[in-house]
Amino acid sequence: MTKHQFARVVEEDQKRPDQQPDWLERLRRNFDAEVHLPADISREFLSAALLWAVDNKVDFGLFHEASEIIIAHFGGDEIYLPSRWSDKRWHTGLEDKEPFDPSD
């Protein structure tokens, strides 16, 4: 992963509370894909999913909005990130080979 340093102007953070600062939006736009998880997703599942992504060397950014947690990533890394399967539940990995089962 690459470490970036961002300088920001104080006025950029003085936006409405429901808006992200410009520097954060620019950071998020560096990625070309996103996974939008519900904000109430289990912390156990989220932790396991993020560790799975780190273990598989996925470059990602984690963002939080009022009703969702967003994992921004680069295209091609989808197999290492959470997705909704045919059972309408969130899982990590490919549908036929799941590395983490949240019901265990």
Side-chain angles (χ1 to χ4, degrees), residues 1 20 27-28 31-38 41-42 45-54 58-65 68-75 77-78 80-83 90-92:
M1 289 187 201
Q20 292 183 345
L27 175 62
R28 190 169 158 189
F31 297 97
D32 57 20
E34 294 182 345
V35 175
H36 293 248
L37 300 165
I41 194 113
S42 114
F45 175 80
L46 181 60
S47 296
L50 294 175
L51 287 171
W52 174 251
V54 169
V58 174
D59 291 324
F60 65 89
L62 191 62
F63 301 88
H64 187 267
E65 291 185 353
E68 54 191 9
I69 296 170
I70 301 160
I71 303 172
H73 62 92
F74 296 105
D77 291 331
E78 292 85 3
Y80 304 115
L81 295 167
S83 63
W90 286 96
H91 301 266
T92 302

Side-chain angles (χ1 to χ4, degrees), residues 15-16 18-22 24-25 28 63-65:
K15 292 184 147 196
R16 291 191 344 243
D18 62 335
Q19 290 182 316
Q20 292 183 345
D22 290 339
L24 193 55
E25 280 297 322
R28 190 169 158 189
F63 301 88
H64 187 267
E65 291 185 353

